[in-house]
Amino acid sequence: MVTEITAQALDTQRFINEKAEEIKETVGDGWAINALSGGVDSSTVTLLGHRALGDRLKTVFIENGLMRAGEAEQVVGFFRDLGVPVEVVDAREAFFAALKGVTDPEAKREAITQTFYRDVFGRLVRESGAKHLLQGTILTDIDETVAGIKRQHNVFEQLGIDPQKAFGYSIIEPLIQLRKAGVRKMGKALGLPGELFNRIPFPGPALAARVIGEATPERIETVRRATAIVEQHLFECGAFQYMAILHEDRVTGMRDGKRDFGRQIEVRCWDSVDARTATPTRLPFDTLEKLAQEIVAAVPGVVSVSYNIAAKPPSTIEAV
């Protein structure tokens, strides 16, 4: 049972000092490794880990082919400025091979989990000599997994899975008592720039969580382009999270007076505090109209754009 520390009750300096000591004690004289995605959780745990271990923490960015446009360059640049070296590991081939032909949402998450932890990270851990993986699991990840809402890729112990036996290394999760608001508070206290600790949440399975059906390179590129447009237009709307979702079936559209079977993008924008519940943001219709016009014009093959108006629950923030 994990005891929650709310953002209001969080004493950041005490938490940082306690968790840094716990990380040092767990790792001992050895090495640890962590994957930086550029999200709030992984960015915060990266700085906390380097505060505790210094050069004995190896930080890598896994280029899985599922990230937003320019993500690797942007994230590596942010952390270079913070004095943290980040190695980019190209694993695109491994992830798309694992996802080939997979359409079931849970099967997709499992394919990503196994590829990340067993194959890609297993090799990196063996090569680095590290015995521990440091990661930014938070309490909401555990809640949703244990409740059976969706399997979060970074939850193991609560499902009875021993990472040491399954993958050959142990996992350290210093943020596990916090929710998103607490993690943002921690990130700020550790010295993350606002562009990072205020970033909207991004799922562990990355854009594969926003493709309904098979996550092929072509379909990921479609949702990647739509994502860039949605994030550009909604950046200042004040919402908790916003995204583009690619639907599976083709829909009937028209171009140049002829029928065109094209793709459908669903836009989602959420008001929430901790992601446990959420309501669709009441965006102005002019904003939605501009989004639709630009997505249809700029993303090849898209003929339809819709907006989700179902709250969580019964909906969820991500589609997959």
Side-chain angles (χ1 to χ4, degrees), residues 158-170:
Q158 290 74 19
L159 296 176
I161 300 169
D162 181 348
Q164 186 68 54
K165 291 181 180 177
F167 310 122
Y169 51 84
S170 64

Side-chain angles (χ1 to χ4, degrees), residues 3-168:
T3 303
E4 179 176 357
I5 300 175
T6 65
Q8 294 78 10
L10 177 64
D11 181 331
T12 53
Q13 288 309 313
R14 179 180 175 183
F15 190 91
I16 289 168
N17 292 337
E18 288 179 353
K19 295 303 175 182
E21 284 303 314
E22 287 177 14
I23 293 168
K24 286 180 188 176
E25 188 175 323
T26 301
V27 175
D29 295 330
W31 289 74
I33 190 169
N34 83 297
L36 172 66
S37 69
V40 181
D41 306 336
S42 76
S43 296
T44 299
V45 87
T46 295
L47 280 194
L48 178 61
H50 278 276
R51 176 79 64 95
L53 300 173
D55 293 340
R56 292 189 297 117
L57 176 65
K58 177 183 174 70
T59 297
V60 298
F61 182 100
I62 305 297
E63 177 52 87
N64 54 18
L66 308 173
M67 305 302 284
R68 290 171 287 198
E71 192 82 2
E73 297 81 2
Q74 183 183 30
V75 171
V76 170
F78 271 130
F79 277 83
R80 185 189 303 118
D81 293 343
L82 292 167
V84 176
V86 180
E87 178 187 343
V88 178
V89 176
D90 188 347
R92 288 174 290 186
E93 187 176 328
F95 278 90
F96 281 118
L99 289 166
K100 186 174 178 59
V102 181
T103 59
D104 177 78
E106 290 304 308
K108 283 165 66 175
R109 286 176 171 268
E110 185 62 20
I112 289 170
T113 296
Q114 292 299 324
T115 303
F116 184 90
Y117 288 97
R118 182 194 62 205
D119 302 336
V120 176
F121 242 93
R123 176 179 61 81
L124 290 174
V125 169
R126 288 191 298 274
E127 291 175 355
S128 71
K131 303 253 189 273
H132 305 275
L133 167 64
L134 183 71
Q135 72 176 18
T137 313
I138 66 173
L139 192 52
T140 307
D141 297 332
I142 294 170
D143 285 348
E144 291 198 331
T145 299
V146 173
I149 296 169
K150 62 176 67 171
R151 164 70 193 277
Q152 297 292 354
H153 79 292
N154 55 358
V155 176
F156 298 102
E157 182 182 335
Q158 290 74 19
L159 296 176
I161 300 169
D162 181 348
Q164 186 68 54
K165 291 181 180 177
F167 310 122

